[in-house]
Amino acid sequence: MQKKIKLIDVAQLAEVSKSTVSQYLNGRFDYMSEKTKERIKLAIQELDYVPNPIARSLKMNTTKTIGVIVRDITGFYTSRTIRGIDDYCKKSNYNVLVYNTDFDSEIEAKSLETLYQLRVDGIIIASSGKNTQLIDKYISNGLPIVHFQLEHDGNEKNIVVSDYRKAAFDATEYLIKLGHKRICFLTQDFQSMKSRKDRYLGYCDALEKHNIGVDKALVQYWHRESGFVQTPKNMLDALNPPTVFFTQHLPITTELLKALNNENISIPDDVSLLAFDEIPMAEYLKVPITVVTQNPYEVGKEATKLLLDNISNNDAPPQKVIIPSAFIKRQSCKDVSN
């Protein structure tokens, strides 16, 4: 086994004290001669000495590392958010540790505990909402934590999210102006999550503005484990079917597209489709899909900026940062006003 080189080894070879080597490593050269700096530099190179980051962090009370906890690292939205986080960290000389939970709240809790034990300077998390007490405990212990993407009860102290309610309102109003009154809102359960409910409220706001009542039969659900509660074909075979599906998440959209394709249901001739979240390689679909697109890269950057601000200033007031969404019109929504 290769011998572990210690600080004292560098000091002895350079013929200086341990504190002088430590000052050199921390960039404190005020009273250090050029000859001394050169001897330490050559000793480090000869011994191939690598400073112990944990030991240094204990002395300096910082690791220059943040943790990121996400539900699915391969997700289209999540991967771009992580890129925004990583790019901002690189510019700020911070390292990033990413933990993937696979939508499991127990794995999320273990990830939080591990990052806390590793003494990261802060955490960015897309929380399940089931570890609120643990998160609050770490925040009260002085660990800055910033939420992103998902807002559960509205009590998250620092959070960066898209403007879900306005985005859903604008999308629904666009469909209404195309003549659609039977708009199927395809969603996951939103009662326990504010960021999902805001989309529903935006949908309702637009219907109300145009004097269209909310038909509960047009609010349909999808579950990650079991899929659609009612199949898209059954919805379209109903007596008063929807003329358009408004899907609220990318997994819902992709599963809907598969289901419609399997039943030879054509978009937009048989039914229109408007999706929340951009679809990978959407331009290559037979019929490009109209979407509300979030800006995950910007969300990642803003979440990191907010976290680093909190790391440098523990007394910074809590912030909720809202990132505007964009609307991309394509060919999947038919004008039925005539």
Side-chain angles (χ1 to χ4, degrees):
M1 179 182 288
Q2 184 179 5
K3 179 186 175 184
K4 185 176 180 180
I5 304 300
K6 299 180 180 179
L7 190 73
I8 186 63
D9 300 319
V10 177
Q12 289 174 348
L13 183 59
E15 299 180 343
V16 297
S17 67
K18 283 175 60 179
S19 64
T20 300
V21 177
S22 179
Q23 288 174 353
Y24 174 89
L25 292 171
N26 291 316
R28 297 196 291 269
F29 307 132
D30 293 348
Y31 303 102
M32 196 177 298
S33 70
E34 290 300 322
K35 287 184 178 179
T36 299
K37 287 194 285 185
E38 185 65 20
R39 287 207 311 274
I40 296 172
K41 176 183 175 182
L42 291 173
I44 289 171
Q45 291 176 346
E46 183 176 334
L47 295 172
D48 195 22
Y49 172 71
V50 178
N52 184 330
I54 296 176
R56 293 187 74 192
S57 70
L58 290 173
K59 290 181 180 179
M60 300 173 67
N61 202 30
T62 179
T63 61
K64 298 296 285 185
T65 300
I66 67 165
V68 178
I69 300 175
V70 297
R71 301 182 303 163
D72 180 9
I73 198 171
T74 65
F76 189 76
Y77 177 101
T78 301
S79 62
R80 280 150 182 78
T81 306
I82 292 173
R83 182 57 191 262
I85 292 169
D86 190 54
D87 283 353
Y88 197 95
C89 280
K90 281 190 176 78
K91 290 196 303 183
S92 306
N93 296 315
Y94 266 80
N95 300 307
V96 183
L97 295 175
V98 181
Y99 281 69
N100 187 76
T101 69
D102 286 325
F103 305 91
D104 188 321
S105 60
E106 291 185 10
I107 295 176
E108 178 183 279
K110 289 177 183 176
S111 301
L112 282 161
E113 291 164 1
T114 301
L115 288 169
Y116 185 73
Q117 291 166 2
L118 288 172
R119 298 172 64 91
V120 295
D121 295 338
I123 294 173
I124 298 173
I125 183 170
S127 166
S128 67
K130 296 179 181 178
N131 289 300
T132 302
Q133 287 186 334
L134 183 61
I135 290 171
D136 288 345
K137 171 189 168 184
Y138 289 154
I139 291 174
S140 66
N141 287 349
L143 179 67
I145 295 179
V146 170
H147 296 260
F148 81 97
Q149 186 180 18
L150 303 173
E151 186 176 12
H152 293 276
D153 57 9
N155 293 320
E156 291 85 353
K157 291 181 174 61
N158 285 291
I159 188 166
V160 180
V161 289
S162 300
D163 193 351
Y164 298 119
R165 187 164 183 168
K166 183 179 185 303
F169 174 89
D170 290 343
T172 306
E173 186 169 62
Y174 167 73
L175 294 173
I176 292 170
K177 288 179 178 179
L178 288 178
H180 294 278
K181 295 182 179 180
R182 303 286 296 167
I183 302 169
C184 180
F185 186 86
L186 262 178
T187 184
Q188 291 172 277
D189 175 55
F190 54 78
Q191 297 304 323
S192 61
M193 189 179 295
K194 185 179 184 301
S195 53
R196 289 181 189 164
K197 190 168 185 178
D198 279 348
R199 301 184 190 200
Y200 174 71
L201 292 174
Y203 164 78
C204 293
D205 290 344
L207 294 177
E208 182 180 351
K209 177 182 175 182
H210 293 273
N211 299 312
I212 301 172
V214 177
D215 185 343
K216 295 297 183 182
L218 290 174
V219 180
Q220 292 290 329
Y221 294 91
W222 173 89
H223 299 293
R224 194 169 293 278
E225 297 79 16
S226 55
F228 296 109
V229 172
Q230 187 176 169
T231 68
K233 187 175 188 307
N234 285 345
M235 296 181 218
L236 294 173
D237 286 341
L239 288 176
N240 196 7
T243 58
V244 58
F245 289 113
F246 181 17
T247 58
Q248 299 307 302
H249 300 279
L250 181 56
I252 301 177
T253 307
T254 54
E255 194 163 326
L256 177 67
L257 287 169
K258 289 178 186 176
L260 296 179
N261 185 60
N262 289 339
E263 296 291 345
N264 293 315
I265 298 170
S266 175
I267 299 172
D269 295 332
D270 297 325
V271 67
S272 294
L273 171 60
L274 192 154
F276 214 111
D277 290 333
E278 181 61 288
I279 302 169
M281 303 179 73
E283 65 272 23
Y284 297 109
L285 293 175
K286 185 177 179 181
V287 178
I289 307 300
T290 296
V291 295
V292 174
T293 178
Q294 301 181 70
N295 192 338
Y297 184 86
E298 192 66 24
V299 168
K301 282 177 57 181
E302 288 297 321
T304 312
K305 181 179 183 298
L306 181 56
L307 182 67
L308 298 191
D309 287 348
N310 274 264
I311 290 170
S312 62
N313 179 13
N314 289 331
D315 297 324
Q319 288 189 58
K320 180 177 181 178
V321 180
I322 299 177
I323 306 298
S325 297
F327 190 58
I328 302 176
K329 298 178 185 178
R330 297 191 178 118
Q331 287 79 55
S332 65
C333 296
K334 184 179 179 180
D335 189 332
V336 296
S337 57
N338 295 328

